Amino acid sequence: MSLRRTAGAAVLALALASAAVPASASSSAAAGVNYVALGDSYASGTGAGSYSDVACTRSRNAYPALWADANDPDSFAFAACGGAKIPDVLSDQVDELDEDTTLVSLSIGGNDSGFASTMLSCQYSTQSACERALKTAGEYVVNELPGELDSLYATVRDRAPHAEVVIIGYPHLYKEGGLCLGGLSSAKRSAVNDGSDLLNETIADRAQAAGFAFADGRPAFAGHEICTSDAWISSTNVHPTAEGHESAYLPAFGAAVSGS
C-alpha cells in the first residue's frame, strides 16, 4: 500500500475610559475558560527553548503557553510532555481533565508510530531503509493507531464532558523537490512527507469521528519546512522552532477554537 498522499481633565478621563474598553475586552476574552494542553513534544515545545520543565521540554514558547498568555484563561494546565505516547497521556496527563475543563488541545500519535527511529533511518540510512521504516510505521498507522486514538479520545471526552477538544496535526517536515544541502535527498523528503500525510489523515479521521476539531499543521507550516529559506522546523531536532509555534501552530490552534 503506497504511503503517498495517502490570534482637558474630563476629555482625558473619557479618552482613558474608552481606551480601557478594548484592553478589558481582550483580557476577558477567555473568561470562564479552563484550558488543558495534552500531548507530545510537538505540543510541549521541544526545540523551542525557554523551558519551564526541562524533563518534559515544556517551553514558554510553545503554542499552548502562548495561547494562554494571550487569552488569560481562568486556568491553564500544561501537561504535554516530550516523548509522550498514547499510554503516557492516559497514565500521566488526563488526570488534569475534569468536568470544569472547557478547552483541550492534544497532539499525539507521532511517537506511537515510531517517529524517532523512522527519522534516524531516513537521515542516516539508504533510501530503501528509509522506505522500509516508513512502511512499518504506515502499517501501524493504518491497522493499530485508529483504535488507540478512539480509546484515548473516548477517555478525554469522559474526563472532560463539557470541553471543546482540538486535535493538532503534524506538519510536513521537509520542502519537496530541489536541493537540500546537507539534508535528505528529494526522494527521502517526499517519502517522509507521505508518511506525515497518512498519519494526519488517520488522526483527522478519528478526531472527526469523536466530534473533535482538527487543526492541520501542514498548511500552517507550508513554505517554512526544513530546506526552505525561512524554516520554522529545526533541521537538527526535527521539531518546530519558537517561530514555528508562534507563527504556525498558535494561529492554527486559535482558528480552531470556537469564538476565536
Side-chain angles (χ1 to χ4, degrees):
M1 169 179 186
S2 171
L3 297 186
R4 185 100 187 148
R5 280 113 0 240
T6 69
V11 172
L12 178 60
L14 211 57
L16 289 173
S18 64
V21 171
S24 173
S26 173
S27 64
S28 64
V33 172
N34 297 300
Y35 171 34
V36 178
L38 308 174
D40 57 19
S41 55
Y42 275 64
S44 71
T46 298
S50 189
Y51 300 113
S52 58
D53 182 324
V54 175
C56 276
T57 58
R58 291 191 190 111
S59 171
R60 298 174 186 86
N61 297 321
Y63 72 84
L66 294 176
W67 191 91
D69 286 345
N71 291 277
D72 193 24
D74 283 1
S75 68
F76 171 49
F78 197 178
C81 189
K85 298 181 179 182
I86 290 170
D88 300 308
V89 176
L90 288 168
S91 63
D92 302 330
Q93 298 185 25
V94 296
D95 285 347
E96 295 289 349
L97 304 173
D98 58 32
E99 290 197 354
D100 294 326
T101 303
T102 60
L103 178 63
V104 178
S105 62
L106 171 59
S107 168
I108 202 70
N111 292 323
D112 301 84
S113 62
F115 171 77
S117 60
T118 299
M119 287 310 304
L120 286 173
S121 293
C122 291
Q123 288 175 321
Y124 301 111
S125 297
T126 64
Q127 176 73 27
S128 60
C130 174
E131 291 179 352
R132 283 196 303 272
L134 285 164
K135 183 176 185 293
T136 299
E139 290 170 350
Y140 165 82
V141 169
V142 169
N143 297 318
E144 299 181 49
L145 183 60
E148 294 178 3
L149 288 174
D150 287 346
S151 294
L152 172 61
Y153 293 168
T155 299
V156 170
R157 175 51 70 218
D158 182 64
R159 296 290 189 98
H162 310 298
E164 176 182 6
V165 182
V166 179
I167 306 301
I168 314 295
Y170 297 93
H172 278 163
L173 297 176
Y174 293 96
K175 176 190 80 171
E176 293 195 29
L179 295 176
C180 184
L181 297 177
L184 302 186
S185 68
S186 179
K188 284 184 178 180
R189 282 180 272 137
S190 292
V192 169
N193 285 349
D194 289 346
S196 177
D197 285 337
L198 183 62
L199 178 60
N200 277 295
E201 287 158 10
T202 300
I203 292 171
D205 178 70
R206 302 329 300 158
Q208 182 180 27
F212 297 162
F214 177 72
D216 197 338
R218 291 167 294 180
F221 282 85
H224 299 279
E225 303 90 346
I226 297 169
C227 301
T228 60
S229 60
D230 184 22
W232 294 346
I233 300 171
S234 169
S235 61
T236 56
N237 61 39
V238 202
H239 281 78
T241 62
E243 175 135 20
H245 279 271
E246 181 178 11
S247 299
Y249 265 149
L250 178 61
F253 173 53
V257 176
S258 297
S260 294

